[in-house]
């Protein structure tokens, strides 16, 4: 008889990414949420209660744990108690607090996944399903790359696999803040990232080192999505046309291609309205959106635009990364299909 293992998943940091990863994990039949952490009994605890996720305190101090009870929430203990009952922890804490959390995961002896706000140098491994699922099979820990790196990989990796080499320049037009974030900007300016090249393009090389890529970035006053303006140089004899590039992307998971002039979806506002129309939770769009009429291959140069829903493209990647680390699904396409089928069914409830 085949034993079906249910992977016990802890979420450390129940914010924008953490609450989405929790629901995506909860929708799968091979994993379950054993607890989520909050730093204090505030915004977010009611959501966890409604979803039936046990709440733990981010810290182990008795006073902080007791504060939850005083505010009317059942707190099942501190982070150490949560790590004891989990097989793997998905760290969704704010970027750059990872190093101290990693020590806690290592002493608890469980597997760990960080997010794109942490550096590859801290985790030693990075993950995105389309690029390097196999390299992450069975490893102790990894980092699901950022929303931008995930988006770039979705369209560039298949191109690289066809061409055997690829050189890319891209400009990242970045949202200023997430919709639920009241503390960031700019609200009336365009802010160039004065570190050149920006980290976004080179970060692709943490999951696909063979792709030569550089990027520049600007932050603009919008909260909805990022847009990438991409110019890729293909090698001589690539044998592709604009149409065959589109067919290649169409055959890959988590890429949506639509014609702007035909559909009227010409800006990120309409892309997000489309996402809300299809009934995804939080109005999420896990797929990368490519405008068909914005793609053009001229000789060896491919030009295209793509839009990234920053809060959600990495969510299914975390589910696939759990399967890679737990070594329960060696085939990335099989994992992606399983993840997406489960998320779609809950999306349409
Ligand atoms: N938002 C995006 O668009 C996006 C996209 C891709 C990747 N990421 C990456 O995902 C990670 C999480 O980002 P986010 O946008 O979800 O941040 P967020 O909305 O600020 O949520 C972070 C959560 O972590 C909790 N927290 C604070 N300190 C912690 C600690 N020391 N240990 C554990 N949890 C702690 C916070 O707790 P309380 O609420 O309980 O106080 C908060 O709920 C970052 O690495 C970020 O770069 C973000």
């Amino acid at each position: 008889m085949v034993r079906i293992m249910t992977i016990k998943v802890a979420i450390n940091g129940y914010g924008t990414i953490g609450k989405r990863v929790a629901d995506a994990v909860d929708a799968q039949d091979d994993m379950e949420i054993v607890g989520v952490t909050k730093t204090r009994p505030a915004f977010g605890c009611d959501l966890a209660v409604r979803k039936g996720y046990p709440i733990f305190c981010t810290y182990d101090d008795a006073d902080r744990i007791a504060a939850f009870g005083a505010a009317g929430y059942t707190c099942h203990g501190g982070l150490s108690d949560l790590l004891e009952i989990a097989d793997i922890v998905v760290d969704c804490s704010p970027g750059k607090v990872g190093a101290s959390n990693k020590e806690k995961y290592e002493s608890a002896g469980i597997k760990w996944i960080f997010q794109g706000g942490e550096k590859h140098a801290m985790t030693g491994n990075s993950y995105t399903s389309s690029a390097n699922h196999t390299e992450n099979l069975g490893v102790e820990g990894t980092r699901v790359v950022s929303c931008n790196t995930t988006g770039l990989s979705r369209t560039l990796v298949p191109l690289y696999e066809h061409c055997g080499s690829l050189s890319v320049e891209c400009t990242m037009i970045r949202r200023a803040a997430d919709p639920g974030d009241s503390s960031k900007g700019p609200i009336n300016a365009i802010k160039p990232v004065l570190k050149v090249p920006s980290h976004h393009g080179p970060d692709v090389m943490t999951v696909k080192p063979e792709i030569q890529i550089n990027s520049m970035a600007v932050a603009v006053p919008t909260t909805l999505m990022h847009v990438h303006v991409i110019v890729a140089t293909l090698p001589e004899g690539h044998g592709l046309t604009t149409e065959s590039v589109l067919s290649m992307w169409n055959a890959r998971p988590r890429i949506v291609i639509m014609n702007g002039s035909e559909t009227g979806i010409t800006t990120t506002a309409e892309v997000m309205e489309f996402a809300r129309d299809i009934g995804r939770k939080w109005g999420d769009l896990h797929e990368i959106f490519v405008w068909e009429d914005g793609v053009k291959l001229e000789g060896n140069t491919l030009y295209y635009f793509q839009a990234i829903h920053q809060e959600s493209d990495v969510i299914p990647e975390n589910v696939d990364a759990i399967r890679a680390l737990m070594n329960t699904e060696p085939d990335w396409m099989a994992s992606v299909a399983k993840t997406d089928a489960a998320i779609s069914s809950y999306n349409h409830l």
Side-chain angles (χ1 to χ4, degrees):
M1 194 171 70
V2 179
R3 183 174 160 267
I4 309 215
M5 183 179 93
T6 302
I7 304 165
K8 294 183 167 36
V9 182
I11 305 289
N12 191 20
Y14 192 62
T16 308
I17 297 297
K19 67 185 177 186
R20 288 172 165 84
V21 173
D23 276 19
V25 165
D26 185 54
Q28 313 296 317
D29 64 10
D30 56 344
M31 48 189 83
E32 64 176 313
I33 293 294
V34 292
V36 302
T37 66
K38 289 298 291 176
T39 58
R40 58 198 176 95
F43 183 55
C45 286
D46 289 329
L47 181 64
V49 169
R50 219 167 49 242
K51 305 274 182 181
Y53 303 143
I55 297 173
F56 289 75
C57 179
T58 312
Y59 310 99
D60 286 335
D61 340 6
D63 288 356
R64 289 191 192 237
I65 294 171
F68 286 83
Y73 299 106
T74 304
C75 180
H76 295 257
L79 179 64
S80 303
D81 299 305
L82 175 57
L83 298 181
E84 248 176 51
I85 56 168
D87 299 314
I88 186 163
V89 56
V90 184
D91 185 300
C92 302
S93 61
K96 303 184 182 62
V97 304
S100 62
N101 284 350
K102 186 175 154 210
E103 284 169 19
K104 296 176 190 162
Y105 307 151
E106 285 172 341
S107 13
I110 66 167
K111 300 209 174 208
W112 41 268
I113 295 174
F114 282 97
Q115 306 303 310
E118 301 298 337
K119 291 211 169 359
H120 176 81
M122 193 275 284
T123 58
N125 292 310
S126 290
Y127 177 90
T128 197
S129 61
S130 65
N132 67 346
H133 186 82
T134 312
E135 284 91 321
N136 279 272
L137 289 174
V139 301
E140 284 311 300
T142 199
R143 170 187 77 126
V144 167
V145 289
S146 74
C147 50
N148 283 309
T149 306
T150 300
L152 288 168
S153 301
R154 294 241 180 103
T155 47
L156 292 175
V157 169
L159 270 176
Y160 168 78
E161 286 172 354
H162 174 90
C163 295
S165 70
L166 202 57
S167 167
V168 182
E169 298 292 336
C170 53
T171 304
M172 333 295 295
I173 301 171
R174 299 182 46 223
R175 59 88 178 96
D178 286 338
D181 187 348
S182 59
S183 63
K184 290 188 186 151
I187 57 169
N188 185 28
I190 296 174
K191 184 178 179 188
V193 174
L194 297 176
K195 179 179 175 294
V196 179
S198 73
H199 70 273
H200 308 90
D203 200 42
V204 172
M205 292 191 267
T206 64
V207 288
K208 200 48 136 177
E210 300 88 345
I211 297 177
Q212 292 305 308
I213 176 164
N214 273 313
S215 61
M216 294 174 81
V218 285
V220 296
T222 178
T223 62
L224 298 177
M225 301 186 92
H226 305 302
V227 168
H228 298 168
V229 182
I230 300 173
V231 181
T233 306
L234 316 187
E236 289 297 333
H238 54 75
L240 291 168
T241 60
T242 303
E243 290 67 34
S244 64
V245 169
L246 287 165
S247 307
M248 174 191 292
W249 288 335
N250 251 323
R252 301 285 285 218
R254 299 181 185 157
I255 301 175
V256 171
I257 302 173
M258 286 193 187
N259 187 298
S261 329
E262 287 169 11
T263 59
I265 301 182
T266 53
T267 74
T268 53
E270 286 102 19
V271 175
M272 282 286 89
E273 189 66 7
F274 156 72
R276 288 190 285 266
D277 286 349
I278 60 177
R280 295 267 170 87
K281 282 188 179 178
W282 293 287
D284 283 351
L285 187 67
H286 305 125
E287 297 84 352
I288 302 312
F289 188 97
V290 177
W291 282 275
E292 181 181 4
D293 33 353
V295 180
K296 186 153 196 187
L297 179 59
E298 281 195 336
N300 293 338
T301 309
L302 176 68
Y303 304 89
Y304 65 103
F305 301 98
Q306 61 181 20
I308 312 293
H309 185 222
Q310 74 279 353
E311 296 164 288
S312 73
D313 70 335
V314 298
I315 302 308
E317 302 293 335
N318 275 275
V319 175
D320 300 322
I322 291 171
R323 290 200 188 99
L325 267 58
M326 298 305 295
N327 215 345
T328 56
E329 180 47 81
D331 177 352
W332 78 272
M333 288 283 250
S335 178
V336 165
K338 184 172 173 62
T339 302
D340 293 356
I343 292 177
S344 301
S345 64
Y346 87 73
N347 280 333
H348 295 292
L349 285 177

